[in-house]
Amino acid sequence: MKRLVFWIGILNRGIPPFASVCPWCRHDHMTLRSVSFFCCALLWGATEVVAQDVPTLTFEERLGAYDKSEGLTEPSGLSTGHTVPFWTVSDDHPFVLGLDVKGTVVTVIPLGKGVHDLEGVIEDTARARLLVVSEKKTEITSIDLNDLSEISRYPLSEMGGFSKLLSDFDTNWKKNGLEGITVAPETGTIYVIKEREPRMIIAISADLSTILSIEMLGRDAGLISPRKNDRKMDISGIASDPSRDGQWILSDTDQAVFFRDLQDGTVYRYPLSWMSESGLQHVSNPEGVALSADGTELFIITDNGKDSALFRYDIQ
């Protein structure tokens, strides 16, 4: 079986196998999507909720994403690109890797000895740059796509507003520090995520000079896992979705991706699975998430040793 439909809707598209998160109580429901939304709308006293507007995911393809000779050994971030189909980073090497549509390394951009422990990457197409986030260095590295030798580093500690950020980190913030990174295409605002303890999203100005805001991504924000308690649940990647005015937020420990509607804060959870020759499999160690330019495909990269892979899902 080549295709796995997450929302079991071959005959009725309203029934998900694990179901979406109810936007009122934030829990997973094994009920019809339309019924769930209708009940929640009644409890809210809300205006009409259109069920068909909720994104659905369909598994399409799994490709290998491991090449020791090229340094693709621990994929830890993912971005779609224009000069290459994908960008990724490997947290045990100080460079950015360009991948083709088959997950093969076609470009290597070295970043120098001072950059390490890379956990996320995004191509900021409008500004012709790559942005890479380093967990333990707590900084963003910018690479000029018109001149790959032009590399600049921006520690968060040197940005305006860092004192407020520091007060919200606990004493182990470097251990559970920065992970994914994305850009809002229209404004250029950069978003980086802190993995956990506490989970948070940090908005940074397009010129990388100022921390604009800090938002906690705990239970109150709708990121709830039925598999992990709140303290152990992490977030490992993020991708902007301007066509739906939302964000896709990935969790390694939960083996799921969440869609967050930025208009009303509603969150939907999608357990990540795929169909192999031996049957249904869970996606192990998902570390990076990216969206196609037209918003019709979602990509996940995993850090799973020699079994590291690039997954492709259709969004409808």
Side-chain angles (χ1 to χ4, degrees):
M1 179 178 179
K2 257 179 108 176
R3 293 163 60 98
L4 169 68
V5 180
F6 272 103
W7 300 70
I8 299 178
I10 298 173
L11 299 177
N12 185 339
R13 293 182 60 113
I15 309 176
F18 298 92
S20 64
V21 175
C22 169
W24 175 66
C25 63
R26 306 293 189 184
H27 290 294
D28 291 314
H29 292 283
M30 298 289 291
T31 56
L32 287 173
R33 181 177 61 185
S34 56
V35 174
S36 173
F37 286 159
F38 177 71
C39 292
C40 290
L42 289 178
L43 290 167
W44 271 340
T47 55
E48 180 183 2
V49 179
V50 183
Q52 57 263 34
D53 286 345
V54 178
T56 63
L57 294 182
T58 304
F59 169 70
E60 289 292 336
E61 187 177 27
R62 176 187 181 274
L63 301 166
Y66 179 87
D67 187 342
K68 186 175 181 179
S69 66
E70 295 287 357
L72 181 59
T73 53
E74 296 183 9
S76 57
L78 186 68
S79 171
T80 49
H82 283 71
T83 55
V84 295
F86 301 102
W87 298 104
T88 190
V89 288
S90 193
D91 60 13
D92 57 345
H93 293 291
F95 41 74
V96 182
L97 300 169
L99 308 180
D100 65 14
V101 293
K102 294 298 184 181
T104 303
V105 177
V106 293
T107 302
V108 178
I109 304 175
L111 302 181
K113 294 181 180 179
V115 181
H116 59 82
D117 199 34
L118 305 178
E119 290 290 347
V121 59
I122 186 69
E123 179 178 313
D124 185 1
T125 307
R127 292 151 199 87
R129 63 183 178 179
L130 281 173
L131 300 174
V132 180
V133 65
S134 171
E135 180 177 10
K136 292 182 180 177
K137 299 288 286 187
T138 322
E139 68 180 15
I140 296 171
T141 299
S142 176
I143 305 103
D144 187 337
L145 284 172
N146 295 319
D147 182 355
L148 298 181
S149 66
E150 286 292 322
I151 298 174
S152 304
R153 294 164 61 183
Y154 298 86
L156 268 65
S157 60
E158 296 180 8
M159 297 179 185
F162 180 73
S163 58
K164 174 64 170 68
L165 176 63
L166 191 63
S167 68
D168 286 329
F169 276 126
D170 67 7
T171 55
N172 295 320
W173 67 271
K174 286 192 175 183
K175 181 179 178 181
N176 298 299
L178 303 182
E179 286 278 326
I181 183 170
T182 193
V183 173
E186 303 87 350
T187 64
T189 300
I190 299 158
Y191 295 92
V192 295
I193 52 175
K194 182 180 182 295
E195 182 179 11
R196 60 188 176 94
E197 297 182 326
R199 300 189 300 271
M200 64 171 68
I201 184 168
I202 304 159
I204 298 171
S205 61
D207 64 1
L208 291 159
S209 68
T210 307
I211 294 171
L212 302 174
S213 65
I214 306 163
E215 180 185 0
M216 297 300 173
L217 291 178
R219 295 181 65 85
D220 291 344
L223 270 74
I224 299 172
S225 168
R227 302 181 64 254
K228 295 288 181 180
N229 65 42
D230 196 57
R231 186 180 66 83
K232 291 185 178 181
M233 180 182 162
D234 71 352
I235 47 178
S236 56
I238 184 171
S240 293
D241 189 341
S243 66
R244 299 175 183 84
D245 196 12
Q247 294 168 332
W248 294 89
I249 299 174
L250 187 65
S251 174
D252 175 8
T253 55
D254 190 35
Q255 295 180 314
V257 65
F258 297 81
F259 177 76
R260 184 167 78 138
D261 188 320
L262 294 179
Q263 286 293 315
D264 60 14
T266 304
V267 174
Y268 305 96
R269 176 180 178 270
Y270 301 82
L272 291 170
S273 301
W274 63 287
M275 187 62 69
S276 71
E277 292 182 357
S278 58
L280 184 67
Q281 307 288 330
H282 295 293
V283 174
S284 299
N285 303 313
E287 284 289 333
V289 58
L291 202 69
S292 63
D294 62 4
T296 63
E297 294 179 309
L298 191 75
F299 303 94
I300 305 288
I301 200 165
T302 65
D303 178 3
N304 202 25
K306 292 182 179 180
D307 293 324
S308 296
L310 178 65
F311 293 84
R312 179 170 65 90
Y313 298 89
D314 278 351
I315 308 176
Q316 297 177 346

